[in-house]
Amino acid sequence: MQGQRIDVASEKPYPVFLGVTLENLGEYLATRIGMGEHLLVVTHPNIAELYLDSLKKGLPSFRVDTLIVPQGEEEKSLERISELTSAAIAYGADRKTVVLALGGGVIGDLAGFFASMFMRGMRYVQIPTTLLAMVDSSIGGKVAVNHPAGKNLLGDFYPPLAVWTDFSTLETLPWEEMLNGLAETVKHAVIADEELLSFVERHAQDIKARKPELYKELASRSSAVKVKLVSEDETEQGKRMFLNFGHSFGHALEAEMAYQGITHGQGVSIGMVAATHLAQERGLMSNAEVQRLINLLKSFGLPVSIKGKNPQTLIDLMGADKKNYQGQKVLVLPKGIGQAIVVRDAKDEEIMRAWKKVIK
Amino acid sequence: MQGQRIDVASEKPYPVFLGVTLENLGEYLATRIGMGEHLLVVTHPNIAELYLDSLKKGLPSFRVDTLIVPQGEEEKSLERISELTSAAIAYGADRKTVVLALGGGVIGDLAGFFASMFMRGMRYVQIPTTLLAMVDSSIGGKVAVNHPAGKNLLGDFYPPLAVWTDFSTLETLPWEEMLNGLAETVKHAVIADEELLSFVERHAQDIKARKPELYKELASRSSAVKVKLVSEDETEQGKRMFLNFGHSFGHALEAEMAYQGITHGQGVSIGMVAATHLAQERGLMSNAEVQRLINLLKSFGLPVSIKGKNPQTLIDLMGADKKNYQGQKVLVLPKGIGQAIVVRDAKDEEIMRAWKKVIK
């Protein structure tokens, strides 16, 4: 088996395999679970068309069923969990069944949360097929569905059996999807890895030209940041919070637009800029550092501002963030490039000023 | 603080307090969580009317909100979880909020599962007000909701912060509800505590006369069996399975009747008799032991047979049990009085014969 292995320290530690192939998953699984076990692939229609055959080719010694979930963030719902439950029962799934979450963040979050609760918990493997899922959502065991009252409002910390990353699935990924992963990679760089930021700046042109070799290094470095922060703090009491940089602002923006006409990457991009302005006002970032972030995001075509939003509405939406504590908004601010801090004393006035910097 | 404390060994150990008062919970909570924290009581209308004031009297130093859930097993649903989520957000709940599950098994299972997933996990306290919840469902951290495809099909192992048992709430409990707890107590006795069975036999008249002192001892002894089995096997890989005695049969019966016209205690009672007949056929129980169980159940007015059921339908329903493995039904059989075994090789023919013994 080729590829790289990083282990995530966790209450239940698990390995992240980078640069492996879909076809080889079966070989690995045979070392972890019994032969002949029941596998339930949860995936999207287009991913199934592109990659299901490759995946299944490596699984001749297992009983494999597939559940196809329509594309879209709105599928991350309790209603879809209920439908997956009916389908799983119809396929004879039991608590020994292993779920294979083949897809991006939506599939990983949905299938993982489903696995966490079906018969009080099945095992599952994350098989991310988007850059976002590879560097971010597949690592850390956070699974969830959305609720009308908030994104990812219902979920669990539920570590997978393993994360299995085949970079070749990136070849068919639309550029817009790639941008979601790049936004998170820039986030990782800003909060914890100045060298990664330099790497991304240096190779911005090759990244846009989509050179496969580059993505392997980019994804590996970016994943490593996530693994490190998650390993140090699985249940998000401390350092893992840093990963929320740009997200309190970004989620509010996504929520205000009802997740239409804005991608997660775009929300995070604008959110990072807003948080960085707030950090600058507090003396945590220099003007040059703020500009460095803005220039990099712009070079990929990620937005750094948005038109015609009401900042008060966005502040109200930030009030529903599950990181908040006793009504106080909890924010992550960068401290220069490569470090971050959590602040619990941000006043609505300064959050307002930060929003105004990114609303044109 | 009066009362008895038993600690449950668990990944996250927690105490079970027996014989304490609702009014004293606040005093204890103040030692576990910060003053001024947000508490969310989840309860039924009638329990609220009877006991909410007593509970709140002890909580002046906390911010307390109450969510009232209608009575009924059908409230254990993902739909109700979704409604609780909206209500909790409206009350400003966050991940530091502590849920107080004040009620019987339905409230404990529903509120506990809600706590397990809201913002990926809040803390919660089990405050059982029925004998069934006191001796069984409040202990062990198993929480769940039902699904059209099966009872308790979606859930989690999610230990509470503590279990807080005030026996005085039993005084208002209808006899039919008491019987649910008695059925589980007989179960505990048969699988693990012959002395408890003798105790129940000896005091059957006083139990029926509802002498409060007796319930304290009964509940304490019965809870102790549950604590012991759960402590030895939190995630139900081994001995905890014994607690399923009577339940594979009983759940099938409850499911066949769509949970109408049969209580859980009645289902378990008939289920235990069926399983015991199967055990007798395998030479695990003597005829006298079978009769001893039947006589005790009958003395309380618990049913030991049922009319006009189709055994094949019931066997099919047993096929959906989440304890099953690779299509094979997993059953718990008593081995004399005070011991049990798990069998994974039961044939449908012998299960059919066991059903026929209890179908008149």
Side-chain angles (χ1 to χ4, degrees), chain B residues 94-105:
Chain B
D94 61 33
R95 53 174 62 171
K96 296 276 184 182
T97 294
V98 177
V99 171
L100 306 184
L102 176 69

Side-chain angles (χ1 to χ4, degrees), chain B residues 38-204:
Chain B
H38 184 220
L39 305 180
L40 207 53
V41 182
V42 180
T43 191
H44 284 318
N46 63 328
I47 301 287
E49 195 173 314
L50 290 164
Y51 300 114
L52 193 56
D53 283 349
S54 304
L55 183 69
K56 280 186 166 177
K57 199 182 288 174
L59 305 170
S61 54
F62 299 95
R63 183 163 70 85
V64 185
D65 288 307
T66 305
L67 301 180
I68 305 277
V69 175
Q71 202 89 23
E73 179 77 22
E74 67 276 13
E75 295 300 324
K76 273 177 57 176
S77 67
L78 285 183
E79 292 73 22
R80 178 55 66 182
I81 296 262
S82 181
E83 287 164 33
L84 289 177
T85 304
S86 304
I89 287 289
Y91 279 131
D94 61 33
R95 53 174 62 171
K96 296 276 184 182
T97 294
V98 177
V99 171
L100 306 184
L102 176 69
V106 169
I107 287 292
D109 277 9
L110 173 69
F113 192 35
F114 170 61
S116 82
M117 71 169 78
F118 184 81
M119 297 192 177
R120 292 199 183 87
M122 297 183 277
R123 294 163 297 176
Y124 75 117
V125 177
Q126 291 279 18
I127 311 174
T129 61
T130 66
L131 185 61
L132 176 67
M134 289 175 187
V135 305
D136 187 7
S137 60
S138 72
I139 302 164
K142 277 169 75 170
V143 293
V145 297
N146 302 324
H147 182 275
K151 193 172 148 81
N152 293 328
L153 192 52
L154 300 174
D156 200 358
F157 292 97
Y158 193 68
L161 192 66
V163 182
W164 194 260
T165 300
D166 180 343
F167 292 123
S168 73
T169 58
L170 291 179
E171 287 166 26
T172 55
L173 195 70
W175 176 246
E176 192 181 62
E177 280 291 334
M178 206 68 109
L179 280 177
N180 291 327
L182 285 173
E184 299 291 355
T185 297
V186 171
K187 180 193 77 178
H188 288 161
V190 172
I191 61 174
D193 190 347
E194 199 274 337
E195 269 185 46
L196 175 58
L197 199 81
S198 301
F199 175 86
V200 174
E201 286 171 331
R202 225 162 40 238
H203 297 284

Side-chain angles (χ1 to χ4, degrees), chain A residues 120-133:
Chain A
R120 293 200 182 84
M122 298 183 277
R123 293 163 297 177
Y124 74 116
V125 177
Q126 291 279 18
I127 311 173
T129 61
T130 66
L131 185 60
L132 176 66

Side-chain angles (χ1 to χ4, degrees), chain A residues 11-12 35-38 63 78-79 81-83 85-86 89 92 94-96 109 113-114 116-121 141-144 147-149 152-158 235-237 241 320-327, chain B residues 11-12 35-38 63 78-79 81-83 85-86 89 92 94-96 109 113-114 116-121 141-144 147-149 152-158 235-237 241 320-327:
Chain A
E11 221 169 62
K12 289 176 183 154
M35 298 292 258
E37 292 282 8
H38 184 221
R63 183 163 71 85
L78 285 183
E79 293 72 23
I81 296 262
S82 182
E83 287 165 31
T85 304
S86 304
I89 287 288
D94 61 33
R95 54 174 62 171
K96 296 277 183 181
D109 276 8
F113 192 36
F114 170 62
S116 82
M117 72 169 80
F118 184 81
M119 298 192 177
R120 293 200 182 84
K142 278 170 75 169
V143 293
H147 182 275
N152 293 328
L153 192 52
L154 300 174
D156 201 357
F157 292 96
Y158 193 68
T235 56
E236 204 161 8
Q237 311 295 310
M241 290 277 295
D321 194 307
K322 49 184 180 308
K323 270 89 181 174
N324 294 345
Y325 176 48
Q326 293 197 336
Chain B
E11 222 170 62
K12 289 176 183 154
M35 298 292 257
E37 291 283 8
H38 184 220
R63 183 163 70 85
L78 285 183
E79 292 73 22
I81 296 262
S82 181
E83 287 164 33
T85 304
S86 304
I89 287 289
D94 61 33
R95 53 174 62 171
K96 296 276 184 182
D109 277 9
F113 192 35
F114 170 61
S116 82
M117 71 169 78
F118 184 81
M119 297 192 177
R120 292 199 183 87
K142 277 169 75 170
V143 293
H147 182 275
N152 293 328
L153 192 52
L154 300 174
D156 200 358
F157 292 97
Y158 193 68
T235 55
E236 203 160 10
Q237 310 294 309
M241 289 277 295
D321 194 307
K322 49 184 180 304
K323 271 90 182 173
N324 294 343
Y325 177 48
Q326 292 197 339

